[in-house]
């Protein structure tokens, strides 16, 4: 009986051995499980990284597509710029053509005007002749208005033909000196006709328009405040004195200033 209990008393030692063996077994088995866990964790991290980072093929495709899109946009912008430039060049050429046409028309008109300009208009537009107004041809053609002038003006008939733009053959017969004398006689004759013409109603209205436009000048005196003046002659004898201007405000006479 005691031996059986004694044999049973050796049981705790066997349990210790079993427990030690189990602990060793667990220690051996734990590194493998931990390594497996680490491997699994690493695999999961790799999968996450692979999911988060795009593939090189997709990035290159996106890059090529964006590059192609930008290239198309640049081509469209370039084509639009070319269209605008072509339109601008066409408009410029049209404008230049129109300007050249208008210039040619203007030159034609000016040439025709220069050919059609009468002697009276040409003489009144000369420098120093701003005080003259244009006398009507009808007034000059009336012999009654020219009574007594033939004795005062040399080459009267030729000068009158020159004023009225009547063609005559005296130009071929006269020398250059004689033609100059005819021209000076025409200027003198027109001045004498002008003196009579400005006393008529038409002549007074023409001179009044020039007076309103300050064609005769203004009074040089400060206190007259730019009062328009009138032309006045101090002698009835031709070429005895030059024309002056008269200020109706201060009632004084001044030498005129030429506008041109």
């Amino acid at each position: 009986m005691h031996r059986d209990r004694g044999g049973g008393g050796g049981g705790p030692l066997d349990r210790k051995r079993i427990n030690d063996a189990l602990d060793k077994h667990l220690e051996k088995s734990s590194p493998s499980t931990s390594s497996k866990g680490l491997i699994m964790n690493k695999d999961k991290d790799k999968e996450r990284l692979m999911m988060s980072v795009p593939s090189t093929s997709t990035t290159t495709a996106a890059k090529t597509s964006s590059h192609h899109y930008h290239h198309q946009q640049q081509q469209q912008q370039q084509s639009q710029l070319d269209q605008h430039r072509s339109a601008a060049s066409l408009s410029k050429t049209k404008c230049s053509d129109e300007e050249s046409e208008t210039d040619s028309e203007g030159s034609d008109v000016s040439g025709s005007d220069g050919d059609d300009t009468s002697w009276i208009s040409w003489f009144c537009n000369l420098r120093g002749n701003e005080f003259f107004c244009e006398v009507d041809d009808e007034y000059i053609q009336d012999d009654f208005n020219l009574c007594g002038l033939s004795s005062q003006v040399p080459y009267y008939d030729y000068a009158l033909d020159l004023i009225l733009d009547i063609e005559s053959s005296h130009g071929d017969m006269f020398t250059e000196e004689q033609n100059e004398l005819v021209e000076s006689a025409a200027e003198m004759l027109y001045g004498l006709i002008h003196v009579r013409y400005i006393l008529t109603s038409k002549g007074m209205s023409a001179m009044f328009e020039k007076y309103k436009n300050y064609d005769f000048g203004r009074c040089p005196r400060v206190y007259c405040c730019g009062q328009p003046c009138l032309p006045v002659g101090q002698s009835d004898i031709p070429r005895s004195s030059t024309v002056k201007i008269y200020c109706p405000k201060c009632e004084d006479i001044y030498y005129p200033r030429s506008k041109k």
Side-chain angles (χ1 to χ4, degrees):
M1 292 291 289
H2 292 288
R3 286 179 184 178
D4 293 336
R5 289 179 181 175
L13 293 173
D14 295 332
R15 288 178 182 174
K16 270 187 179 183
R17 290 177 184 174
I18 291 167
N19 289 329
D20 294 335
L22 286 172
D23 292 334
K24 290 180 181 180
H25 182 70
L26 288 171
E27 288 176 358
K28 289 179 181 180
S29 63
S30 60
S32 62
T33 56
S34 63
S35 63
K36 285 182 181 180
L38 289 172
I39 292 168
M40 291 294 288
N41 290 329
K42 288 181 182 179
D43 293 335
K44 287 180 180 179
D45 294 334
K46 285 181 181 180
E47 289 178 358
R48 288 175 183 174
L49 288 172
M50 293 294 287
M51 291 294 289
S52 62
V53 178
S55 63
T56 57
S57 61
T58 56
T59 54
T60 53
K63 286 181 180 179
T64 53
S65 62
S66 64
H67 181 70
H68 184 65
Y69 176 71
H70 288 303
H71 185 64
Q72 286 181 349
Q73 282 188 340
Q74 289 178 356
Q75 286 182 348
Q76 290 177 356
Q77 291 176 356
Q78 188 67 29
S79 64
Q80 289 178 356
L81 286 172
D82 294 336
Q83 289 177 358
H84 286 302
R85 287 174 182 172
S86 61
S89 63
L90 287 172
S91 64
K92 286 181 180 178
T93 52
K94 287 181 180 178
C95 291
S96 62
D97 294 336
E98 290 177 357
E99 288 177 356
S100 62
E101 289 177 359
T102 52
D103 292 337
S104 62
E105 289 177 358
S107 62
D108 295 337
V109 170
S110 63
S112 62
D113 291 340
D115 295 336
D116 296 336
T117 301
S118 63
W119 184 92
I120 296 174
S121 299
W122 168 80
F123 177 74
C124 292
N125 289 323
L126 289 176
R127 182 175 181 178
N129 295 343
E130 297 89 0
F131 292 174
F132 286 101
C133 66
E134 295 187 9
V135 181
D136 294 336
D137 292 341
E138 296 177 357
Y139 183 85
I140 300 174
Q141 291 172 0
D142 191 351
D143 293 335
F144 178 77
N145 298 325
L146 309 181
C147 181
L149 297 180
S150 59
S151 61
Q152 299 181 25
V153 179
Y155 301 99
Y156 173 80
D157 294 330
Y158 300 112
L160 184 61
D161 291 341
L162 183 60
I163 291 172
L164 295 175
D165 296 321
I166 297 174
E167 293 182 1
S168 60
S169 60
H170 72 275
D172 298 333
M173 297 169 57
F174 291 163
T175 61
E176 292 183 0
E177 293 180 357
Q178 289 175 339
N179 286 325
E180 290 178 358
L181 290 173
V182 170
E183 290 178 0
S184 62
E187 294 176 359
M188 180 181 176
L189 177 61
Y190 185 81
L192 295 173
I193 294 171
H194 185 272
V195 170
R196 298 181 179 185
Y197 177 74
I198 60 176
L199 298 177
T200 63
S201 59
K202 287 185 178 180
M204 285 183 181
S205 62
M207 296 296 282
F208 181 65
E209 290 296 327
K210 294 176 77 68
Y211 171 77
K212 288 194 299 183
N213 295 328
Y214 303 96
D215 291 339
F216 305 126
R218 300 170 183 264
C219 182
R221 228 170 237 184
V222 177
Y223 291 107
C224 289
C225 301
Q227 171 66 37
C229 296
L230 289 168
V232 63
Q234 295 177 308
S235 176
D236 294 333
I237 301 172
R239 297 184 178 179
S240 62
S241 64
T242 59
V243 67
K244 307 294 190 301
I245 57 173
Y246 169 76
C247 175
K249 197 168 185 178
C250 64
E251 298 181 354
D252 205 349
I253 295 174
Y254 304 95
Y255 284 96
R257 294 180 180 178
S258 178
K259 284 186 176 181
K260 297 181 181 179

